[in-house]
Amino acid sequence: MIRPLFVFEVTPRCNLACTYCYNVWKRNGEPSPRELTLNEIENLADSIQAAHPVSVTLTGGEPLLRDDLCAIVRLFQKRGILVGIATNGMLLDRNTAGSLKEAGAGWFEVSVTSVSEDGYSDLTGTDGFAAVKQAMLAVVSSGARLTVSHIITSRNYGDSGRVIDLAYAFRADAVALNRFVPGGTGLANRHLLPTLVQLDSALKSAGKRSLMSPGMTVYAALPVEDCLLQHSDYSGISFGSCICGAGKWAISPAGDLRVCEQSPHILGNLLESSYEELSRSPFVEEFRNNNRSPDCKSCIWAGVCGGGCRFLR
């Protein structure tokens, strides 16, 4: 069995109003899921430990809105589980980053949507670009690894190369490139979906800058179909396959297991059932094998991208 990677959404709360937000509880005015108590998360950590995970990334919402985040990190660290934090950076100062690193956080993923204050505000609804840069400095100062996460939309695709430059200047270890996928709030903002021409432009710019940033890894965190845009055209960028529902899973603030952050389908709750049991749900096999374009079955590149993102269709 493949050792899983878990993305645990520790809270549905957030301090931004991103137009591209994919959180499933922000679709059609659905109520936010409840937030587990620290004691419940300790039980959840036991369930996760039994799955022998590669790692757990704590996200949200915005995870730093939880006052007990250091304690949550320790719950996983003391079980020998590698743990990191994905954050928008608004609340991440040097003291906080240092405390989380001391508690056991090995890496931080900080979201950088634009390289300008106006561009950042346009997509997040907040004038927070200066705080993001301070957050990156705080991570590097703590000694933890820094990954810059950049979402490519129709509004900011021209920024991708400059994001690589910014990340390198701040001594980031890696840059994760994501293309916008309509979900959550983003379902009402499909105009943000980049065209293939815009995505091609963003990837070429990012790849070019990556080649000039030695020691920093740049990768496409969301699969890009090679039949649409040939990976060989983007030197400097690493591409991968969709591993959702196989190697990667999402856990909701209430402890519910899903195949992906984009998927609203709940397989069951990890406080009530084991990962081994839930991961064998018929829904998982259907998601992996059937929820792809019919053309994928005969495509020579299907093994490269895994059929691409199921939620872009």
Side-chain angles (χ1 to χ4, degrees):
M1 179 178 287
I2 300 174
R3 292 181 63 200
L5 297 158
F6 290 115
V7 176
F8 176 24
E9 301 153 341
V10 296
T11 179
R13 294 175 287 144
C14 192
N15 51 351
L16 296 184
C18 299
T19 54
Y20 56 82
C21 181
Y22 58 79
N23 283 327
V24 296
W25 54 85
K26 290 190 175 182
R27 42 189 284 149
N28 304 322
E30 295 179 13
S32 296
R34 80 179 188 92
E35 192 172 290
L36 295 181
T37 66
L38 188 61
N39 286 338
E40 288 174 317
I41 292 178
E42 183 161 21
N43 292 331
L44 179 70
D46 287 335
S47 181
I48 290 174
Q49 182 184 29
H52 305 290
V54 173
S55 64
V56 173
T57 299
L58 306 179
T59 182
E62 172 48 49
L64 286 169
L65 287 173
R66 287 200 63 138
D67 295 335
D68 56 358
L69 189 59
C70 278
I72 294 173
V73 170
R74 290 191 191 97
L75 290 178
F76 291 101
Q77 190 274 336
K78 74 178 185 179
R79 287 167 173 78
I81 299 172
L82 298 177
V83 59
I85 297 168
T87 173
N88 59 43
M90 293 295 100
L91 303 174
L92 190 60
D93 57 25
R94 292 198 177 205
N95 288 337
T96 303
S99 296
L100 288 166
K101 173 66 167 60
E102 185 178 353
W107 70 91
F108 290 82
E109 184 175 310
V110 178
S111 178
V112 178
T113 59
S114 176
V115 293
S116 72
E117 191 70 63
D118 288 344
Y120 186 88
S121 177
D122 176 55
L123 287 169
T124 67
T126 304
D127 296 330
F129 184 51
V132 169
K133 290 186 285 187
Q134 289 302 313
M136 290 192 287
L137 288 174
V139 172
V140 173
S141 177
S142 76
R145 299 193 305 278
L146 170 63
T147 293
V148 167
S149 176
H150 174 60
I151 185 166
I152 301 170
T153 74
S154 63
R155 300 285 286 272
N156 70 341
Y157 70 93
D159 278 355
S160 298
R162 286 176 287 177
V163 168
I164 303 298
D165 290 340
L166 181 73
Y168 186 67
F170 278 77
R171 294 187 289 163
D173 297 282
V175 176
L177 300 173
N178 293 278
R179 54 175 164 164
F180 168 66
V181 177
T185 299
L187 286 170
N189 296 305
R190 291 180 179 273
H191 61 278
L192 292 176
L193 189 66
T195 65
L196 284 180
V197 172
Q198 291 170 339
L199 184 60
D200 171 67
S201 175
L203 293 176
K204 282 182 176 175
S205 177
K208 180 179 178 181
R209 304 312 299 177
S210 174
L211 293 174
M212 302 175 70
S213 307
M216 186 176 73
T217 301
V218 178
Y219 64 96
L222 201 77
V224 176
E225 296 92 327
D226 199 89
C227 61
L228 299 179
L229 296 175
Q230 291 193 3
H231 299 173
S232 59
D233 290 340
Y234 311 105
S235 299
I237 300 178
S238 298
F239 293 87
S241 173
C242 173
I243 59 172
C244 294
K248 180 184 176 185
W249 307 77
I251 303 173
S252 81
D256 297 317
L257 184 70
R258 309 194 312 274
V259 293
C260 175
E261 299 103 304
Q262 299 281 347
S263 175
H265 182 86
I266 294 173
L267 300 171
N269 194 284
L270 287 170
L271 293 175
E272 301 168 357
S273 304
S274 70
Y275 162 76
E276 182 177 4
E277 175 186 353
L278 297 179
S279 63
R280 292 177 177 173
S281 164
F283 176 86
V284 176
E285 183 176 359
E286 180 181 356
F287 174 81
R288 290 296 304 167
N289 296 332
N290 301 325
N291 192 15
R292 298 188 296 177
S293 166
D295 294 335
C296 291
K297 295 180 179 180
S298 58
C299 180
I300 61 173
W301 303 110
V304 177
C305 69
C309 177
R310 274 70 170 161
F311 299 96
L312 276 170
R313 303 193 182 92

